[in-house]
Amino acid sequence: MVSMPWNRHAYKTAFLFIAALAVGAVLPAIAQAQSQQPQAEPPEPSSRQVMTRPVAPDAGGMSNADQPDGIVPSGGVELYQRMGAGLPPLPAEKPYTGPVDEAFGAYQRGLYVTALGKALQRASAGDAAAQTLVAEMMTKGLGIKRDAKTAAFWYGQAAERGDPAGMFQYALLLMTGRDVPADKKKADDYMRRAAEAGNSSAQFNWAQILISDNPGERGLQLALPFYEKAAEQGVADAQYAVAQLYVVMKNLPAQKKSMARQWLERAAKAGFDTAQLDMGVWLVNGVGGEKDYERGFDWLRIAAHRGNVVAQNKLSHLYIDALGTRPDPVEAAKWYVLSRRAGLQDPELEDFYLGINDEQQRQAIEAANKFRRS
């Protein structure tokens, strides 16, 4: 079966579950920082220009400076795009002894015209999997000119016949009203059915819908089994969600709670930078296991180099406090300058910056100017 694309932005309202985690249940200082929108680049901090802008306390009434080391874990406010790093290796696949699907075989080899011809013949005869393949190729313009409306028709046909990938894609179209009339009730039904049939993307999105439609603890309880199923199939966003829910949900078995850090690390290894940020913070603070400053520093450094503004801010603190690394005022100032340029203010780091000499400030700004996301 062809691997279907997953539109993680199709259910914007469903992402409210992350915001819910950040309010009260999950330590909020980083969550607050993540929610700040980038602003126009301010002038560089200078010992001759003292910044006096106040920073509001977080949702719990406590600022970063009130924390023992200024670093607290986050529930995350946004889901960032994965970077494509590999997950831990999966078990070897069992040898396939079933019939060979010539249409999908041609598609996987890049023989799109051949694949389309074979798939169209089967699709016209009512083959649901072939209908999904035809819709996929028409959506992407593979072997045929792009035709979103006709693709929507074939997705609808595949969904009616119960193809999991077809139901998932058609649910997205129904939810957004793209090329078909919007119908949330019908969209939810297809998304649920696709999730129950084992489609990992549908499982994640159905969990998001359950959270959105059932605020509070009930929504978390309903969604968790679907997050877990998607996480087991390698969906990094679901792995991140499982890690967060294992920490904040009540009455979960101790065995599940003990696995929170493992799920977070899998999402981090998949390149999900919010998971990388939280992985670093959890290790520094000892959330979900023992403290490990060096590994925490490494994860925050990875997220910072990938452009995560909050990680850049926290990495500056680690360089100042020599947690997991040697103290380095220039490197600390560089990461502060980068995070401040993105609109994240930190009075404690501002005081540090104003306390270093002009040469160190010059070196930090020069290093920040040379920074490129990895």
Side-chain angles (χ1 to χ4, degrees), residues 30-219:
I30 287 182
Q32 179 196 359
Q34 288 174 313
S35 67
Q36 298 184 23
Q37 297 297 318
Q39 304 170 0
E41 182 174 325
E44 296 292 356
S46 167
S47 58
R48 291 164 294 282
Q49 182 181 16
V50 178
M51 304 297 175
T52 58
R53 299 178 186 175
V55 176
D58 59 51
M62 182 180 294
S63 68
N64 284 5
D66 294 321
Q67 301 296 330
D69 53 15
I71 300 176
V72 292
S74 157
V77 174
E78 298 179 71
L79 294 174
Y80 293 84
Q81 186 169 354
R82 289 175 290 177
M83 302 298 180
L87 286 168
L90 296 173
E93 294 186 12
K94 297 180 179 179
Y96 179 72
T97 58
V100 175
D101 189 317
E102 294 182 356
F104 285 100
Y107 175 88
Q108 291 168 345
R109 294 194 302 273
L111 304 176
Y112 299 127
V113 174
T114 300
L116 184 64
K118 293 180 179 296
L120 270 173
Q121 184 176 4
R122 288 169 42 196
S124 299
D127 185 310
Q131 290 169 341
T132 299
L133 179 58
V134 169
E136 170 76 357
M137 297 182 72
M138 287 183 172
T139 298
K140 294 184 175 181
L142 301 176
I144 191 173
K145 184 179 179 180
R146 288 184 179 178
D147 187 344
K149 289 189 178 295
T150 305
F153 165 78
W154 284 116
Y155 278 134
Q157 293 294 301
E160 288 180 8
R161 288 166 176 78
D163 180 66
M167 289 190 291
F168 168 66
Q169 292 291 351
Y170 196 55
L172 297 182
L173 296 179
L174 290 166
M175 179 62 70
T176 61
R178 187 174 68 249
D179 301 313
V180 296
D183 188 332
K184 184 180 185 307
K185 182 177 179 181
K186 195 173 181 180
D188 287 355
D189 182 60
Y190 276 131
M191 191 64 73
R192 175 188 58 79
R193 288 169 58 190
E196 291 173 348
N199 183 282
S200 61
S201 298
Q203 288 165 345
F204 174 78
N205 280 272
W206 179 238
Q208 298 283 71
I209 293 170
L210 289 170
I211 291 285
S212 179
D213 291 349
N214 300 273
E217 186 74 14
R218 172 172 167 75

Side-chain angles (χ1 to χ4, degrees), residues 17 20-21 210-211 214-225 227 245 248-249:
F17 94 97
L21 293 179
L210 289 170
I211 291 285
N214 300 273
E217 186 74 14
R218 172 172 167 75
L220 301 181
Q221 292 174 350
L222 291 172
L224 181 57
Y227 282 133
L245 295 185
V248 303
M249 287 183 66

Side-chain angles (χ1 to χ4, degrees), residues 314-351:
K314 297 308 173 187
L315 193 61
S316 179
H317 281 282
L318 294 188
Y319 273 115
I320 294 170
D321 297 333
L323 292 176
T325 187
R326 292 184 177 183
D328 189 332
V330 173
E331 196 70 5
K334 178 192 82 172
W335 291 111
Y336 165 57
V337 168
L338 287 168
S339 64
R340 190 179 182 281
R341 283 177 178 176
L344 190 109
Q345 300 177 27
D346 188 320
E348 184 178 341
L349 290 181
E350 179 67 19
D351 289 343

